[in-house]
């Protein structure tokens, strides 16, 4: 599952949210880490985290937030909203 996050405001920074997205909009978050500001370095670190997450059937998403806790909360909210949207769209 890939989170589509709006552009950050001045107080927000990029965080990697690493975990396992489960059915029904539930998220088991394993780790939140601030992402590097340099795009090349961010891509390299993302790739490293993704390799580790893949081994445990997890994923890594970039979330813009004001703190690690805010990033985790936003990831959970986005997962719930995505699950609800998919459920509505698949209903007869």
């Amino acid at each position: 599952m890939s989170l589509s996050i709006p552009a950050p405001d001045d107080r927000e920074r990029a965080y990697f949210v690493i975990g396992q997205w489960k059915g029904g909009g539930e998220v088991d978050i394993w780790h939140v880490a601030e992402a590097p500001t340099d795009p090349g370095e961010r891509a390299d670190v993302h790739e490293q985290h993704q390799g580790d997450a893949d081994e445990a059937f997890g994923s890594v998403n970039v979330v813009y937030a004001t703190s690690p806790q805010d990033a985790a909360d936003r990831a959970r909210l986005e997962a719930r909203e995505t699950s609800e949207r998919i459920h509505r769209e698949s209903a007869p």
Side-chain angles (χ1 to χ4, degrees), residues 24-64:
E26 290 184 41
V27 180
D28 183 13
I29 295 176
W30 303 330
H31 183 66
V32 177
E34 190 169 346
T37 56
D38 176 74
E41 186 179 351
R42 181 182 301 170
D44 290 344
V45 174
H46 184 276
E47 187 176 322
Q48 292 169 355
H49 284 308
Q50 189 63 56
D52 293 340
D54 285 346
E55 291 178 15
F57 302 102
S59 61
V60 179
N61 291 288
V62 176
V63 176
Y64 288 89

